[in-house]
Amino acid sequence: MLDLTEKPKKSTPKYLRLRDRLKRDIRDGVYPRGGKLPSCRDLTSILGVSYVTVTNVLQALEDDGYIKRVHGKGTFVTSPKPGQTVDAIKVGYIIDVNVSIFGRLFSTVLDSLKKQPVYNVPLNMPPETQVQAEEAERWLDDAMHNHYNILVVYGDRHFPYRRLTRYMAEIDQLNFIVFGNSGVKFPNANRFLVDVEKAGYLAASRFLANGRRKMAVLSLRQLDDMYRRRYGVTAADQGKLMLDGIERAYGEYGLDFFQLVKVVAGPDAHDKNDVLRFDKELNQCFMDDYAAFYTIGDFRAQQVYTAAEKLKLIPGKDIGVISFLNTPICQYLNPTLSSICINEPEIGRLTAQAIMEKWQGKTVMIEPELIIRDSDL
């Protein structure tokens, strides 16, 4: 809060000293953007100055664009005028820059924001397999020292949402993209999310149309409750939503979802016993004559291909394989891999539009698309 014990130079008017201290409080989040300042009368008590001085302080803050006075409603914190801070809006992108999703999305954002006063900064948060919760939180703390005006966050299950709440006062706009796995409420955040329920529905419908009824779903690794609580992650992640879509497709075909669909949870790569458990369950699917394999993540399809090769089974002929995300690996595999495309260019376009038009609190679901290749003919 305000500290008036410091003795400033006598040549600086008191109202300007108070103006500067209130500016600092606004930047530090004591009075968050969009929030309401105390009334003039309350400020006279808080600051220990006259009513006239307070009105001069508020006028100076309004001239600089830090506040806006609305007749009959009060005084609200806004953002400084462009000339009072940096000219460019600073946008931070928290997404692994090494994955192909980033390249397709970010190039669209850059094209859309061409000639706009925007400074784009990819932050490249480490993959979850390489960090513990403390490291992820520490990484976010370090990144946020740069004070971004806008954040674009790949909202999967391994982002420290709870930690992010510490920085909301200094962020003008928050955008979650692709996934929205936050169990923490961010009411003003924009969300440009892939309809993963529809993705599961598309895959299951394709298999069923081709007569492949017994379906194995290679799902996500299960997260324990303490991990979820620490990160602030919702229990209803994309794996559950995928299953909702798959169950809907089986219902439309009048088939028993519970009898014909088996879920194999992904392994903890750091636990050898769990890796062995996963391999055993995957191989058992082949022994039990499962004819369709849907993998949440293209890299899991490689494991299906390897297991099928040992049994002299051919994807696209003896079994059907469809994956989720449609990364370049799909075309490198032999046979080429059918996959669900999440339409990164559209997500990038919407993100750029949100930045330019200063959207707040909008949610848009992006329609996925099934790309048919050789693994499910």
Side-chain angles (χ1 to χ4, degrees), residues 340-357:
I340 304 289
C341 170
I342 65 172
N343 201 350
E344 297 95 326
E346 177 64 7
I347 297 172
R349 186 191 67 77
L350 287 167
T351 302
Q353 186 177 354
I355 292 170
M356 289 187 289
E357 298 178 2

Side-chain angles (χ1 to χ4, degrees), residues 41-264:
R41 198 163 299 281
D42 288 338
L43 283 173
T44 61
S45 299
I46 294 170
L47 302 177
V49 294
S50 70
Y51 191 89
V52 172
T53 300
V54 167
T55 58
N56 288 335
V57 169
L58 294 181
Q59 185 60 58
L61 287 172
E62 189 168 31
D63 289 343
D64 287 347
Y66 278 80
I67 63 170
K68 181 178 181 180
R69 289 186 279 188
V70 181
H71 182 69
K73 294 185 178 180
T75 303
F76 298 87
V77 178
T78 58
S79 297
K81 293 178 180 178
Q84 302 296 325
T85 55
V86 294
D87 291 330
I89 298 169
K90 198 172 184 181
V91 185
Y93 298 81
I94 302 182
I95 178 173
D96 185 0
V97 301
N98 295 310
V99 299
S100 59
I101 290 173
F102 175 79
R104 294 197 291 262
L105 184 146
F106 193 58
S107 62
T108 304
V109 172
L110 292 181
D111 287 343
S112 301
L113 292 177
K114 212 173 276 184
K115 297 182 181 179
Q116 297 293 323
V118 174
Y119 179 45
N120 297 289
V121 185
L123 296 177
N124 190 26
M125 191 165 186
E128 60 89 15
T129 53
Q130 298 178 12
V131 297
Q132 299 299 316
E134 296 84 355
E135 293 176 90
E137 291 165 349
R138 194 181 311 118
W139 181 93
L140 184 62
D141 290 339
D142 290 341
M144 293 309 297
H145 285 159
N146 291 315
H147 301 290
Y148 297 93
N149 306 102
I150 296 172
L151 277 186
V152 178
V153 177
Y154 182 78
D156 73 354
R157 312 183 307 159
H158 305 292
F159 180 80
Y161 295 99
R162 195 177 301 280
R163 193 66 157 205
L164 181 61
T165 59
R166 297 186 178 190
Y167 301 100
M168 290 312 299
E170 62 189 64
I171 299 171
D172 295 322
Q173 185 190 73
L174 175 62
N175 303 288
F176 291 118
I177 59 170
V178 184
F179 303 122
N181 287 135
S182 174
V184 181
K185 291 184 178 179
F186 295 97
N188 293 324
N190 299 309
R191 294 170 174 84
F192 309 117
L193 311 178
V194 177
D195 187 347
V196 290
E197 191 270 350
K198 180 70 175 292
Y201 175 82
L202 289 174
S205 297
R206 172 69 182 185
F207 286 139
L208 293 172
N210 284 344
R212 305 185 193 277
R213 296 189 172 191
K214 293 189 73 174
M215 177 179 176
V217 180
L218 275 59
S219 189
L220 303 172
R221 174 171 64 89
Q222 298 299 313
L223 302 179
D224 64 55
D225 288 339
M226 291 304 291
Y227 184 98
R228 291 185 186 278
R229 288 174 182 271
R230 179 68 180 263
Y231 274 72
V233 175
T234 179
D237 61 26
Q238 53 263 36
K240 176 188 178 301
L241 295 171
M242 293 274 191
L243 286 175
D244 290 343
I246 293 168
E247 184 174 3
R248 177 160 67 94
Y250 274 76
E252 289 182 3
Y253 273 78
L255 298 172
D256 192 330
F257 166 81
F258 297 100
Q259 288 293 324
L260 296 171
V261 177
K262 178 177 181 178
V263 177
V264 181

